[in-house]
Amino acid sequence: MEVVTGAGARNHWGFAIATIRLLLPRDGLRRWHKSLADGLAASGHRVLAEPRHVAAERPASLALVETLEDLLYRRGRPGASDCLGSDEWPPNEAARGDLVFDLTGAHETQRGAIVPLYDGWPGEAARDAALLAGRAPEIELALVDGDKRHVLARGLPALERPTVLRFARDAVASRVATLALAVASKPGCGVDRARAASSSPAPTPPLPFFAASLAAAARRKLRKLVAHEDHWRIAVRPLAPGVAPETTLDRLGDPQWRWAGDDRRRYFADPFLFEADGVAYVFCEEFPYATQKGVISVFTLDAQGVASPARVVLERPYHLSYPVVFRHEGHIFMMPESCANRSLEIYRADPFPFSWTLDRVVLSGVDISDATAFPFAGSWWLTGATNAPGTSTWDCLSLFTGNSPVGPWTPSGDGPVLVDASAARPAGRIFRHGEELWRPAQDCTRGYGSGLALCRVDAVGPGVLEQTVMRRYRPKGGLHTFNASERFVAIDGTVARAKSAWFDGMTL
């Protein structure tokens, strides 16, 4: 998410908010509308939900696709875009509000209200035009005044199931709510931009979309019979003196890249390099298919980057991954992802590298993935992918602050600092590029771990992380993690790996 700051005008909604009006479709109340209202109320606002009649023209083919998806993909738990009856959430009477959100989904919007825009256009037709084309729309929350848009926040949601319209709508709706909560907490910011008046883009025909969705689902089921679809592998290469580590990503086909061992019974991912006493170690996630639970393993490298057999060094009753290893005050620590335990834990080498003792729990009761600490402007900061129930961890970055790399950590700001499927989730240590700090981030616009963005860190402060994407890499097979030491660079990528050598050579 980006809460936009700039020289935009401040008007009646620039002071502390007391009453927020939500304009909602009378015959189209959704679960995410109520979730947003509950979140605003929890933040101390008075919330009024005002139903409005919306003239909607829904093509018969779109209604058919919605019905078919409901039959095929109905889940045990409700989705964000599922309907709510007025008896489940009685609307309020109309009243004046300090801040008004028009969430009716209509193309014509109320003057002076804040409206979600999809690729710059209001209305659900604009949203569906992007989703039926197989991509996420850029979401903006803006005050619309003729051809002027006063943009208050923007974000790019992740679509974990882009081939299913109802799931894609859920993802977009959840992030509209995320952005609305951010706007309510910082209502006086924004930038103006103009757009010539015209109709929203025409959607892709729904029935071809549904046919392609069925074909994709059939292919996935067939592949799962013979292959591990997301089989991660680690590659390492030596780093010549004076060579910037990121330049090696321009030559991923170079034979100096060496892939670690692969017995098909497990995958290896999240490589973190660490050098001690002249030995280069790679700590990583090992995921045995038999247990379906990640553990932390380590292997060493010879001078050419050839890996030794991996050895498990840390296992817990829950899944572990993303093992950040670092030195602090004479000790060596590891901070692996332990999101499955709703915690962030730090372990101390005792002794290094094969034995680790729990040193402290720095966050608990929080879902945080790929936590990465770094210093900036004299302070320590921690970034991590976070999610609320029913939302994705692929697109949402939260910020914490502390006194040292071992915490304690406290949330910085009222919510996430980024909603951006293309450059939010961490993908490795933050490193120095000349005088600048660059952070590797996952690009999940084409799926989890489908690419890598290297982002220059421009500013970090309470509730703020500003960055500029400097390079992108979207190789075949994806690129999920990037880390370097003085002598080596390590990455990982994914393939559809046949479960048996008998299937090698088949098109999966």
Side-chain angles (χ1 to χ4, degrees):
M1 174 195 62
E2 180 184 357
V3 176
V4 183
T5 59
R10 296 174 183 264
N11 56 22
H12 68 279
W13 43 264
F15 52 78
I17 302 303
T19 301
I20 296 178
R21 287 171 63 204
L22 303 181
L23 308 183
L24 304 172
R26 183 182 301 277
D27 298 321
L29 292 177
R30 306 290 177 178
R31 291 191 176 276
W32 74 270
H33 294 148
K34 186 174 186 305
S35 296
L36 172 58
D38 291 343
L40 291 169
S43 299
H45 302 293
R46 180 185 179 216
V47 182
L48 300 176
E50 180 183 334
R52 292 285 184 93
H53 175 72
V54 180
E57 294 184 6
R58 188 172 54 161
S61 58
L62 184 59
L64 176 60
V65 167
E66 292 169 351
T67 301
L68 291 172
E69 285 193 347
D70 193 52
L71 291 171
L72 289 173
Y73 305 115
R74 180 178 292 277
R75 298 164 293 181
R77 58 182 177 82
S81 56
D82 287 353
C83 292
L84 274 181
S86 58
D87 56 331
E88 297 179 82
W89 184 34
N92 304 107
E93 72 282 357
R96 180 175 175 80
D98 300 306
L99 196 65
V100 180
F101 289 92
D102 184 347
L103 305 177
T104 59
H107 179 68
E108 298 296 329
T109 59
Q110 175 169 309
R111 189 180 185 90
I114 297 171
V115 185
L117 306 178
Y118 306 102
D119 292 335
W121 306 105
E124 292 182 349
R127 176 202 63 191
D128 288 347
L131 298 181
L132 291 171
R135 59 177 180 80
E138 181 187 49
I139 304 169
E140 294 174 324
L141 288 191
L143 277 171
V144 178
D145 183 9
D147 64 351
K148 289 283 189 179
R149 275 87 161 115
H150 188 76
V151 179
L152 305 177
R154 61 168 60 95
L156 181 67
L159 305 184
E160 296 193 12
R161 296 283 301 276
T163 58
V164 182
L165 184 61
R166 64 172 291 171
F167 295 160
R169 284 174 171 173
D170 286 351
V172 173
S174 296
R175 290 311 176 211
V176 171
T178 301
L179 297 176
L181 288 167
V183 168
S185 69
K186 298 180 180 179
C189 300
V191 294
D192 289 324
R193 67 176 177 81
R195 178 185 290 274
S198 66
S199 59
S200 57
T204 301
L207 291 178
F209 170 86
F210 182 71
S213 174
L214 287 180
R219 286 194 298 270
R220 283 195 303 271
K221 287 186 177 294
L222 289 173
R223 279 199 301 267
K224 286 180 179 180
L225 294 176
V226 298
H228 301 295
E229 197 166 13
D230 295 318
H231 184 81
W232 292 94
R233 302 185 66 194
I234 291 173
V236 180
R237 62 164 293 163
L239 183 63
V243 174
E246 65 276 8
T247 61
T248 62
L249 299 177
D250 298 325
R251 301 182 298 276
L252 292 176
D254 193 310
Q256 289 192 69
W257 288 104
R258 296 179 180 271
W259 294 93
D262 182 2
D263 64 3
R264 307 175 194 267
R265 293 181 293 182
R266 69 205 74 229
Y267 70 63
F268 293 95
D270 295 345
F272 278 81
L273 286 153
F274 189 85
E275 300 202 19
D277 299 325
V279 179
Y281 299 89
V282 179
F283 291 85
C284 62
E285 173 197 350
E286 177 180 340
F287 186 88
Y289 293 117
T291 63
Q292 294 289 297
K293 177 173 68 72
V295 297
I296 303 303
S297 293
V298 68
F299 56 85
T300 59
L301 303 172
D302 68 12
Q304 287 72 45
V306 177
S308 69
R311 175 173 168 179
V312 177
V313 297
L314 182 62
E315 182 171 4
R316 301 289 282 172
Y318 38 86
H319 179 88
L320 299 175
S321 60
Y322 202 80
V324 184
V325 179
F326 59 94
R327 287 186 177 88
H328 178 64
E329 295 184 344
H331 298 282
I332 299 177
F333 294 95
M334 179 197 297
M335 185 171 65
E337 177 191 313
S338 52
C339 182
N341 194 44
R342 303 202 71 227
S343 65
L344 181 61
E345 304 163 346
I346 293 182
Y347 295 81
R348 185 182 69 257
D350 185 28
F352 182 84
F354 299 120
S355 181
W356 298 84
T357 299
L358 179 64
D359 186 81
R360 66 193 75 188
V361 178
V362 289
L363 290 172
S364 60
V366 61
D367 295 322
I368 181 168
S369 303
D370 299 348
T372 308
F374 66 100
F376 187 91
S379 299
W380 277 92
W381 304 91
L382 180 87
T383 57
T386 55
N387 68 309
T391 64
S392 177
T393 63
W394 300 3
D395 58 7
C396 199
L397 187 75
S398 290
L399 185 67
F400 301 79
T401 185
N403 297 321
S404 78
V406 294
W409 299 107
T410 57
S412 181
D414 297 325
V417 292
L418 290 175
V419 172
D420 185 355
S422 77
R425 182 165 175 151
R429 287 191 185 93
I430 294 177
F431 63 95
R432 199 158 276 287
H433 178 84
E435 298 300 314
E436 302 169 342
L437 279 184
W438 283 21
R439 63 175 294 266
Q442 291 191 40
D443 183 340
C444 296
T445 53
R446 302 178 184 176
Y448 180 72
S450 61
L452 182 79
L454 296 183
C455 310
R456 185 185 68 212
V457 179
D458 298 321
V460 186
V464 175
L465 188 148
E466 297 178 3
Q467 65 180 27
T468 301
V469 176
M470 306 302 289
R471 300 186 183 184
R472 287 196 187 274
Y473 303 89
R474 291 169 174 153
K476 183 180 179 180
L479 186 56
H480 172 265
T481 311
F482 169 76
N483 280 298
S485 65
E486 291 184 2
R487 295 187 294 155
F488 296 96
V489 180
I491 59 173
D492 58 6
T494 183
V495 295
R497 184 66 161 161
K499 296 179 180 179
S500 166
W502 190 87
F503 296 109
D504 283 348
M506 294 180 62
T507 301
L508 300 175

